[in-house]
Amino acid sequence: MQVMEGSDNVEVAFKSALNTILLWDSTVEAGEGINKYLRAVDDVRCWMDSTAGEVASDDRSEADNVMSRAMARLKHEFENILTLDTAPRYSTCSSSLTDSSSYELHDEDYTDYDLPSPETISDLRSIAARMNSGGYLGECVKVYSSARKALVNLHFNGLGVERLSTGDVRWMEWQLLDAKIREWVRAVKVCVRIIFTNEWRLCKQIFEGLGRPGTDGACFRMAAKDAAIHLFNFTEAITKIHPSPVRLFRILDIHEALSDLLPDLDVLFPSLRMQVAEVLIPQLSEVVREVLQKYEEDLLNELSQDLPPGGGIHTLTIYVMNYVVGISNYEQTLTRSIVIKPKADWKVPTLELIELEERTPLELHLIWILVHLQFKLEVKSKNYKNALLADMFMMNNIHYVEGEILTCPKLRSMITDDFLSRLMRTVQQAATNYHRGTLVKVLSCLRPERLNVKGLSRSALRKRIKTFNSMFEEVHKTQVKWSVPDFQLREELRLSISQKVISAYRSFKEQHLNLFGRALWAYLKYTPEDLEAACLQFFEGDVQAGKPCEMIGVNMFLEITKGHEDNLEEFSLEMLLLATYNFSEEHIIGIGSYGLVYRATLNDDRVVAIKRAKFLTSSTYIGGTMCREDEANAFLLKELKFLSRLNHRNLARLLGFCKDGNELVLVSEYRSNGSLYDHLHKLKSPRLRLWPARIKVALDVARDL
């Protein structure tokens, strides 16, 4: 009797479930409505399993038809839920599968990719489970993969990563490719650590344990595969570009990004992880080795004759040290990539006594670069006609090298103590040579043993003092034009000279004041205070004391730009050299009235146009056209006066300037749409083909000016 009652209950539940499925309205809200439908599906499945082979074929056929209809309805509801939950949402938690604490996205607007709500995931999981029990899991997976693939591609496209072919990358201008690489490095981190990771987690929550083993992973890869392929195809294209020193740091950024993401790829895309680890990263390492070798060859072949006035810091020194410091920041990556010692000639004398046996190949390359930089500087110093100025040049440049090493902990750890000591001794020796050559003759006029005061006449005393005055004035006239850019070194030199000169001068005055009395004051042109003030003017690099056209001072810049609405920024030459990779030809975008125009991205990601006056001799490492010095200054002043007072939305705004030694540079906004000249003569703009349009442009420009 109990068995019959149980059978009746199953039958009643089955009939009720059939009615629910057949009559269920798709407009019923989620929650209790969908849960009731799912229970009905469970009841029909339970009846079919419990009555297998025991019921009439008509009843069985009816149940199969109802179940097929239910699966179609569930598929439709599954798709609706996915479609309604595809709006991008953001939060602030980290999503790395490996929980790497060192990982940062540096983008507050896109720090995470939200998963659907727990309730939504629960509904999707429930529907997927019913479709799996009904043998329709494949249909569910297809719907899911299609919907999530669209969402993944939506986010991927929003990251700004273009789908570029190898040919596109190989022939792209470096400035544009540089920007593309920066975008890619950010995008690959966002994709792997946020988008792909959360999609993988969502698949696990919905499909884990359903169907065949690995269904969840296969479903995820169907949704994310296209985006991943396009993302990593870019890396493969990068390995085919020409190995230029300009490109080293961007390639290292890609190398580091891929290496950091290997643990995540091991979970998400095991086969892709293998390709990245065994093919792409080794290829990038090979490109890095080729680039470093090319850089060393360029340094060996550098033959420029340019010299900074006043013995200041050479642009080659700044360029090389920027490069070396940049290399040291990628020490871990480069140590794995650079496995062979430098191939170049090691017969440079400075290297013979350095202990290098236990150094890594990367450290040997850095030392090699620094040694050859010093060698190049020594060759250049011989082009100064004044031997003391040559000593000043070596002191400034080697002191700059030493300072860059000491202020960069990573670079300091890679340079041997012996080599650093040799640099310090070079600076000290150059300073000693300068002191001897500058002060010996001046102080010789004041030394008692040279005066032999016992029989000194007034005429002889007057001659001695006159000789001293003449010598000191000549030294002052010369050395106010000489340059010691480092503040501490400059003050130490001034103090040393001042102490020696004033001490000897006071001793001389006291010694002869008793012999000649007040008559001595008639011959003395300077007080000790005057000499001290004069010594404090040394090494400013103030060439205004020479020909007026030789340099434009910062004060002249500031005077010209008075009244400018925005404060003009004074850019350092070091920053501009780094942004343009030492004014490389790959950054040239045009020729101005007094030199070349470069496009560059500053360290704050501003894209700027850099106009550089060029009127020195040609250089093998700094590109540029030449004009007469006075012409260059005239053009520069004219453009500076004009741009500093110009403020219009259609014109590139002047951002600032750089005055450093013989370098004269203007920095302005970069307008990617080109100039009016470009549209008239190069781009052949359809809008400007007709004369009425051209006349309108001319009138508008005239009104604005």
Side-chain angles (χ1 to χ4, degrees), residues 242-527:
H242 177 68
S244 169
V246 171
R247 301 168 178 174
L248 175 63
F249 300 117
R250 295 289 79 79
I251 295 173
L252 287 171
D253 286 340
I254 296 175
H255 193 296
E256 286 198 341
L258 292 179
S259 299
D260 291 343
L261 294 173
L262 284 178
D264 298 273
L265 292 176
D266 197 28
V267 176
L268 299 172
F269 300 100
S271 60
L272 179 58
R273 189 265 183 203
M274 185 178 299
Q275 180 186 2
V276 170
E278 298 181 4
V279 179
L280 292 181
I281 289 180
Q283 287 178 345
L284 288 171
S285 296
E286 181 60 30
V287 174
V288 167
R289 288 189 286 271
E290 292 177 1
V291 169
L292 189 58
Q293 182 179 347
K294 180 68 167 58
Y295 180 80
E296 291 171 350
E297 291 174 356
D298 289 347
L299 181 59
L300 279 175
N301 298 326
E302 197 279 326
L303 299 173
S304 70
Q305 299 298 311
D306 292 350
L307 291 173
I313 298 172
H314 202 286
T315 49
L316 177 64
T317 305
I318 298 174
Y319 173 55
V320 170
M321 291 313 299
N322 282 342
Y323 211 82
V324 169
V325 170
I327 288 175
S328 69
N329 291 329
Y330 295 88
E331 177 185 4
Q332 186 175 0
T333 300
L334 284 169
T335 299
R336 293 194 300 264
S337 301
I338 306 301
V339 294
I340 301 176
K341 295 180 180 181
K343 296 180 181 179
D345 184 11
W346 280 80
K347 295 181 180 179
V348 178
T350 314
L351 281 175
E352 292 178 358
L353 301 177
I354 298 179
E355 298 294 334
L356 298 172
E357 295 298 328
E358 298 181 357
R359 313 307 293 187
T360 67
L362 175 61
E363 291 169 342
L364 294 179
H365 278 274
L366 290 182
I367 294 174
W368 184 95
I369 290 173
L370 294 177
V371 167
H372 280 76
L373 170 62
Q374 182 176 352
F375 178 74
K376 290 291 181 181
L377 292 173
E378 290 172 353
V379 172
K380 293 178 186 299
S381 70
K382 294 179 173 57
N383 292 325
Y384 283 108
K385 296 180 180 179
N386 189 321
L388 296 180
L389 187 55
D391 288 326
M392 180 71 67
F393 172 79
M394 288 300 299
M395 178 186 67
N396 279 326
N397 283 269
I398 302 303
H399 184 267
Y400 181 86
V401 173
E402 174 194 335
E404 289 294 294
I405 294 173
L406 292 175
T407 54
C408 180
K410 290 184 178 180
L411 180 59
R412 175 64 188 90
S413 66
M414 301 170 73
I415 300 300
T416 63
D417 292 337
D418 183 65
F419 181 72
L420 187 59
S421 298
R422 289 174 181 277
L423 291 179
M424 294 178 179
R425 287 197 293 272
T426 300
V427 174
Q428 294 169 356
Q429 185 61 49
T432 300
N433 293 342
Y434 163 78
H435 275 294
R436 289 174 180 171
T438 301
L439 298 180
V440 167
K441 292 183 179 180
V442 174
L443 297 180
S444 66
C445 301
L446 305 177
R447 288 176 182 167
E449 64 270 17
R450 293 291 302 275
L451 294 173
N452 192 13
V453 295
K454 197 167 186 178
L456 189 65
S457 64
R458 291 192 176 188
S459 60
L461 176 64
R462 184 170 60 248
K463 183 177 180 182
R464 291 288 184 183
I465 296 176
K466 185 177 180 180
T467 301
F468 168 79
N469 292 339
S470 176
M471 286 185 174
F472 184 79
E473 288 167 359
E474 182 62 29
V475 169
H476 178 270
K477 179 181 178 182
T478 300
Q479 299 193 19
V480 292
K481 301 177 185 179
W482 292 6
S483 173
V484 180
D486 183 80
F487 175 80
Q488 183 176 352
L489 181 61
R490 182 170 65 246
E491 293 305 308
E492 289 176 356
L493 284 174
R494 287 172 172 173
L495 181 61
S496 175
I497 294 172
S498 176
Q499 287 176 341
K500 292 178 180 179
V501 171
I502 293 173
S503 176
Y505 193 73
R506 281 179 173 153
S507 298
F508 175 84
K509 185 179 72 171
E510 291 171 2
Q511 180 182 7
H512 295 87
L513 189 61
N514 295 330
L515 294 176
F516 296 97
R518 299 182 64 85
L520 179 64
W521 296 107
Y523 308 138
L524 295 176
K525 186 175 181 179
Y526 302 108
T527 65

Side-chain angles (χ1 to χ4, degrees), residues 201-215:
R201 287 174 175 166
L202 182 59
C203 283
K204 297 287 284 185
Q205 288 176 291
I206 295 175
F207 294 104
E208 188 173 26
L210 300 180
R212 296 179 180 178
T215 297

Side-chain angles (χ1 to χ4, degrees), residues 166 169-170 234-243 247 280 283-284 287:
T166 302
V169 172
R170 290 190 66 181
F234 179 81
T235 306
E236 186 175 357
I238 289 295
T239 63
K240 305 296 193 301
I241 64 175
H242 177 68
R247 301 168 178 174
L280 292 181
Q283 287 178 345
L284 288 171
V287 174

